[in-house]
Amino acid sequence: MKKKYVYELLLKVRDYECDLQGVVNNSNYQRYMEHTRHEFLESLGENFGRMHDKGVDAFVSRVDIQFETSLRSGDSFLSCLNVSKVGPKLVFDQDIYRVGDQVLAARGQVEIVVVENGKLTREEYFDEVLKKLE
Amino acid sequence: MKKKYVYELLLKVRDYECDLQGVVNNSNYQRYMEHTRHEFLESLGENFGRMHDKGVDAFVSRVDIQFETSLRSGDSFLSCLNVSKVGPKLVFDQDIYRVGDQVLAARGQVEIVVVENGKLTREEYFDEVLKKLE
Amino acid sequence: MKKKYVYELLLKVRDYECDLQGVVNNSNYQRYMEHTRHEFLESLGENFGRMHDKGVDAFVSRVDIQFETSLRSGDSFLSCLNVSKVGPKLVFDQDIYRVGDQVLAARGQVEIVVVENGKLTREEYFDEVLKKLE
Amino acid sequence: MKKKYVYELLLKVRDYECDLQGVVNNSNYQRYMEHTRHEFLESLGENFGRMHDKGVDAFVSRVDIQFETSLRSGDSFLSCLNVSKVGPKLVFDQDIYRVGDQVLAARGQVEIVVVENGKLTREEYFDEVLKKLE
């Protein structure tokens, strides 16, 4: 049932990410999604830390995550994304699937704005980067 | 501009919560909101860990957070919530304000389902707890 | 059995800090200790983020923590510290006690070096700050 | 200069692990080391979460970490370990090297005790597991 994505990253649950309920704490899915976006960026030749040093910062303006099936100790998962431009924003659709049975663990939509030397840009910075996707 | 809330918790940024952009990493707002819900629960005489030991678990089914103003090292903030029942779900409206100028840092809506001994309940467990709010 | 300390900070366990064993994950004691040092610094009129902006960074060179009693959901604790200069290093003795029965949860020794604009200092920066302790 | 280890795990810095100093926050090395021990355990056919469900818990009794070179955004690293029995404890020697130049980032010694159904064991549980190393 997995869709097609422009980028997929294989990760594994780390036990310190599980909480007293014995499942991955919800806040970590947001972290998984951040790491996936940054690895996607690296796959396009850019690095988040270097961008910051150049005065370009991508900020999350909204995150909307639906939690479907809890990941647990020992689980591997595939963290997938698609990206589109909606006005001045980059919108990432990010789904996380448990490896093995491909059950959907979480689906998220994350909106990003880009700030260059302190002022909002219209994402021209990423136009250049995303061109490599075409 | 702050609204009225049934529960407010005063917290302070911890520096390890800030990332290389020099601001609180987004995933931590979700953690602040979780901690606020659990402290709210304690204010009503219940504890999340004890609930788990009794076989009652509250799971987050959806989180929708809009990030308005970044918190930074040294900032204190007020983490506020209201709660309502929508069908079988508890819906928490959670706003975070920077202390000093009361600027809104983040606003979130968090949906909770309650599972008792492995099966979804219609929140009867919380009816009892929330009655104390009236 | 609690010793005398130059600084004490009252904190409470956050449930996302507990892991699947139902107790606070060990790495969080290191975070508690960091936050305590930084709050101690603020009590002396300095802020870690502002220091970084001025080109002064305190780096941890060594951390040695003994874990005595696990903290759990609902526990409050007192995070205490003493500090001394040992050669070019600041050495913090940091003990964490559970509130209520004053049981020792963890004791740590943390060594700090200070780097000013990229080069190691002999802590002159902190001499000024620590003078306020006398 | 890298020594020989019984287990090595390749990992990459995640940007949310970096703090406002632009380097990996110290507490995360402790997390890297925990994850490495648990992956080592999996390589021997055991899982930390499953152990807990069986009533066997490994607790860290002491951690001693020396920080040598800060890891940064974009860095990959090799997290390595050796293990020995010292009396009733398991002692892990854990070194972390930056990939590329093999610079030592951190070296740690982590002591573990094993508790079976609430009482300290003499590690018989791990004797069985570690036998596979020979």
Side-chain angles (χ1 to χ4, degrees):
Chain A
M1 228 60 68
K2 212 163 113 322
K3 290 190 295 182
K4 280 204 71 174
Y5 299 93
V6 296
Y7 188 73
E8 303 189 354
L9 182 66
L10 178 64
L11 295 169
K12 187 166 181 194
V13 170
R14 299 177 180 182
D15 289 333
Y16 62 77
E17 295 166 341
C18 297
D19 63 22
L20 59 83
Q21 292 185 322
V23 298
V24 170
N25 183 269
N26 299 88
S27 58
N28 291 310
Y29 295 89
Q30 195 172 334
R31 296 185 163 194
Y32 296 156
M33 290 178 185
E34 178 193 295
H35 183 55
T36 307
R37 291 193 308 276
H38 293 199
E39 286 295 287
F40 167 63
L41 198 62
E42 293 222 349
S43 77
L44 299 176
E46 190 47 279
N47 166 274
F48 185 76
R50 251 183 355 244
M51 267 177 59
H52 175 70
D53 293 339
K54 287 191 281 189
V56 181
D57 280 302
F59 286 107
V60 174
S61 57
R62 182 173 196 158
V63 73
D64 183 359
I65 304 176
Q66 289 168 266
F67 302 95
E68 304 289 343
T69 304
S70 297
L71 294 173
R72 293 175 172 275
S73 176
D75 286 345
S76 291
F77 56 95
L78 215 47
S79 182
C80 310
L81 68 77
N82 283 315
V83 59
S84 54
K85 282 191 63 170
V86 180
K89 289 181 178 170
L90 285 177
V91 178
F92 287 87
D93 282 300
Q94 302 198 242
D95 298 334
I96 290 176
Y97 298 90
R98 187 166 59 196
V99 163
D101 54 13
Q102 298 225 345
V103 161
L104 182 69
R107 73 168 70 245
Q109 203 169 65
V110 181
E111 297 179 7
I112 304 283
V113 293
V114 179
V115 173
E116 206 164 342
N117 297 314
K119 59 186 271 282
L120 207 69
T121 73
R122 288 191 66 82
E123 315 290 323
E124 296 84 354
Y125 190 87
F126 276 110
D127 283 348
E128 215 48 43
V129 175
L130 292 180
K131 220 178 279 175
K132 297 176 190 164
L133 278 183
E134 287 156 27
Chain B
M1 228 60 70
K2 210 163 114 321
K3 289 191 296 180
K4 281 206 69 174
Y5 299 94
V6 296
Y7 188 73
E8 303 189 355
L9 183 66
L10 177 64
L11 295 169
K12 188 167 180 193
V13 170
R14 299 178 180 181
D15 289 332
Y16 62 76
E17 295 166 342
C18 297
D19 62 22
L20 60 81
Q21 292 185 322
V23 297
V24 169
N25 183 268
N26 299 87
S27 59
N28 290 309
Y29 295 88
Q30 196 173 332
R31 296 186 162 194
Y32 296 156
M33 290 179 186
E34 178 193 296
H35 183 54
T36 307
R37 291 193 307 276
H38 293 199
E39 286 297 286
F40 166 64
L41 199 62
E42 293 222 349
S43 76
L44 299 177
E46 190 48 279
N47 167 275
F48 186 75
R50 253 186 350 250
M51 268 176 57
H52 175 71
D53 293 340
K54 287 191 282 188
V56 181
D57 281 302
F59 286 107
V60 174
S61 57
R62 181 173 196 159
V63 73
D64 183 359
I65 304 176
Q66 290 168 263
F67 302 96
E68 303 289 343
T69 304
S70 297
L71 294 172
R72 292 176 172 274
S73 177
D75 286 345
S76 291
F77 56 95
L78 214 47
S79 181
C80 309
L81 69 75
N82 282 315
V83 60
S84 55
K85 283 192 61 169
V86 180
K89 289 181 180 171
L90 285 177
V91 178
F92 287 88
D93 282 299
Q94 302 198 241
D95 298 334
I96 291 177
Y97 298 90
R98 187 166 60 196
V99 165
D101 55 12
Q102 298 226 346
V103 161
L104 183 69
R107 73 170 69 245
Q109 203 169 65
V110 181
E111 297 179 6
I112 303 283
V113 293
V114 179
V115 173
E116 206 164 343
N117 297 313
K119 61 186 271 280
L120 207 69
T121 73
R122 289 190 65 81
E123 315 290 322
E124 296 84 355
Y125 190 87
F126 276 110
D127 283 349
E128 214 49 42
V129 175
L130 293 179
K131 218 178 280 175
K132 297 174 192 167
L133 278 182
E134 288 157 25
Chain C
M1 229 58 70
K2 210 164 116 321
K3 291 190 296 183
K4 279 204 74 175
Y5 299 93
V6 296
Y7 188 73
E8 304 189 354
L9 182 67
L10 178 63
L11 294 170
K12 188 168 180 191
V13 170
R14 299 178 180 181
D15 289 332
Y16 62 77
E17 295 166 343
C18 297
D19 63 22
L20 58 81
Q21 291 184 321
V23 299
V24 170
N25 183 269
N26 300 85
S27 60
N28 291 309
Y29 294 89
Q30 196 173 334
R31 296 185 163 196
Y32 296 157
M33 291 178 185
E34 177 194 296
H35 184 55
T36 307
R37 291 193 307 277
H38 293 200
E39 287 295 287
F40 166 64
L41 199 62
E42 293 222 349
S43 77
L44 299 176
E46 190 47 278
N47 167 276
F48 186 76
R50 249 183 357 244
M51 268 176 58
H52 174 71
D53 292 340
K54 287 190 281 188
V56 181
D57 281 301
F59 286 107
V60 174
S61 57
R62 182 173 196 159
V63 73
D64 182 358
I65 304 175
Q66 290 168 264
F67 303 95
E68 303 290 342
T69 304
S70 297
L71 294 172
R72 292 176 171 274
S73 177
D75 286 346
S76 291
F77 56 96
L78 215 47
S79 181
C80 309
L81 67 77
N82 282 316
V83 60
S84 55
K85 282 192 64 169
V86 180
K89 289 181 180 172
L90 285 177
V91 178
F92 287 88
D93 281 299
Q94 303 200 239
D95 298 335
I96 291 177
Y97 298 90
R98 188 166 58 195
V99 164
D101 55 11
Q102 298 226 347
V103 162
L104 182 68
R107 75 168 68 245
Q109 204 169 64
V110 182
E111 297 178 6
I112 304 284
V113 293
V114 179
V115 173
E116 207 165 341
N117 297 315
K119 61 187 271 282
L120 207 67
T121 74
R122 288 190 66 82
E123 314 290 322
E124 298 83 355
Y125 190 87
F126 275 111
D127 283 348
E128 214 49 44
V129 175
L130 293 179
K131 218 177 281 175
K132 297 175 192 165
L133 278 182
E134 288 156 25
Chain D
M1 229 58 70
K2 213 164 114 320
K3 290 190 296 183
K4 279 204 73 174
Y5 299 94
V6 296
Y7 187 73
E8 303 189 354
L9 182 66
L10 178 63
L11 294 171
K12 187 166 181 195
V13 170
R14 299 177 180 182
D15 289 332
Y16 62 78
E17 295 166 341
C18 297
D19 62 23
L20 59 82
Q21 292 185 322
V23 298
V24 170
N25 183 269
N26 299 85
S27 59
N28 291 310
Y29 294 89
Q30 197 173 332
R31 296 185 164 195
Y32 296 157
M33 290 178 185
E34 177 194 296
H35 183 54
T36 307
R37 292 194 305 278
H38 293 199
E39 287 295 289
F40 166 63
L41 199 61
E42 293 222 350
S43 77
L44 299 176
E46 190 48 279
N47 167 276
F48 186 77
R50 252 185 352 246
M51 268 176 58
H52 175 71
D53 293 339
K54 287 191 280 189
V56 181
D57 280 302
F59 286 107
V60 174
S61 58
R62 182 173 197 158
V63 73
D64 183 358
I65 304 175
Q66 288 169 266
F67 303 95
E68 304 289 344
T69 304
S70 297
L71 294 172
R72 294 178 170 273
S73 176
D75 286 346
S76 291
F77 56 96
L78 215 47
S79 181
C80 308
L81 67 77
N82 282 316
V83 60
S84 55
K85 283 192 65 172
V86 180
K89 288 180 181 174
L90 286 177
V91 178
F92 287 88
D93 282 299
Q94 303 199 241
D95 298 334
I96 291 177
Y97 298 90
R98 189 167 58 196
V99 165
D101 54 12
Q102 297 226 346
V103 161
L104 183 68
R107 72 170 70 245
Q109 202 168 66
V110 182
E111 297 179 7
I112 303 283
V113 294
V114 180
V115 173
E116 205 163 343
N117 297 314
K119 59 187 272 283
L120 208 68
T121 73
R122 288 190 66 81
E123 314 290 322
E124 298 84 354
Y125 190 87
F126 276 110
D127 282 348
E128 215 47 44
V129 175
L130 294 180
K131 218 177 282 175
K132 297 174 192 165
L133 278 182
E134 288 156 25

